[in-house]
Amino acid sequence: MGPGFSYRHLYYFWVVAKEGGMARAAARLGMAVQTVSTQVRELERSLGYALFKPAGRGVALTEAGIAAMRQAEQIFQLGEQLPDVVRDAVGSPSVRLVIGISDELPKLAVRSLIQPVLREPHLRLLCLVDEFEDLLGDLALHRLDIVLADRAAPPNPSLKVYSHALGASALAWYAPASLYAAARRGFPDSLARVPVLLPTTHAAVRARLDQWFERLGIKPHVVGEFEDSALLKTFGAAGMGVFPMAGLVHDELVSRYGVKRVGACEGVEEYFFAIGANKKVLHPLVQRLLPNQR
C-alpha cells in the first residue's frame, strides 16, 4: 500500500520550508505562487494537519510542520545522494562515513578516536567540523552518521540521540622552545608570569581548567583564547604562549609542532564522546567506533 500523500506535494512543502515563504519557493521552482500554495494545501489535507503558519511576510513551521520537515529532510537528502550511490555501485565499491567533529575537540585526537574504522579497505570518509549544537541538529536530521565531541549530548526529548563515552586523557601543559625554560621555572606558578593560551568557555574542559587554577591559587597570564583547538596549538607552537593539550596527542604534538611538555595539569582530564542518532539499523562503521559494539 502506498502512502496517503504525494511525494511531489512533499517536495513543494520542503522547498517552501527551506525558502521561508511561498513566493521565494515559487521563484526557485519556476512556478506560480498559487500553484505551489495549492500543492502544499493538498499535502496538509492528506496529512490532516496545518504545516505552516504566518510569520511576517513569510511562513513558519507549525509543530506538525517541524515533524514533517524532519522526515522530508531525510527523504530528499537520500535523493540527493542517489547519483553518488549509483556511481559507486558500478565503480569501485566504497563505504561512506560522515563524521561531525566538534570544533573544540583536539584534532590530533580525532585520528586515534576513529582508528577502528580506518582499517576499512573501501572507506570513503567525510569529516565536517562545526559547533557542537549545530552538529547535534545535523545528526538529528541524519545528515551525519556520528558526532565526536568533548561532552555528552544534553538531555533533550526532541533530539533522539545517544552518547557513548570513548575514554579520557589527562591534560598537560606544552610550550614552544622560546618559552619552555621560563615555563618550567617554578611550574605551575610560572603560568602567572608566562603568556598562556586557553580554550574558550565553549569547550567543556575550560571549566575544569579554571577550577584547577583556582584550586592552586594561580591567576594565569592569559593572552589568547581559542574556540578551535587546532588554532590553539598552532598559535602556541608559533611562540604566542604556553597551552594545555590532552596527553593522548603527546607524541604527535611534540614531533609535528616542536613543542615541549612543561608539566602535568594534575586532576584535569579531557573526555571524548561519540554521539549517534537513534536508528533501527546502525551504520556498520559506527558500530566499530563504539566500545560496547566492537
Side-chain angles (χ1 to χ4, degrees), residues 231-253:
L231 284 176
L232 174 65
K233 64 176 177 284
T234 298
F235 277 80
M240 186 176 180
V242 180
F243 60 96
M245 195 60 62
L248 175 68
V249 303
H250 171 84
D251 292 342
E252 197 168 1
L253 186 63

Side-chain angles (χ1 to χ4, degrees), residues 15-27 33 36 52 57-60:
V15 174
V16 172
K18 293 182 81 68
E19 295 295 326
M22 296 288 178
R24 289 191 291 272
V33 175
V36 175
F52 290 112
R57 295 186 176 182
V59 292

Side-chain angles (χ1 to χ4, degrees), residues 113 146-153 161-168 271-278 282 286-287 289-294:
L113 296 175
I146 198 78
V147 168
L148 300 180
D150 66 345
R151 72 199 79 180
V161 299
Y162 58 88
S163 302
H164 283 266
L166 297 180
Y271 301 101
F272 307 110
F273 291 88
I275 306 171
N278 284 329
L282 197 61
V286 170
Q287 294 181 43
L289 291 175
L290 306 181
N292 60 352
Q293 299 286 332
R294 297 175 194 169

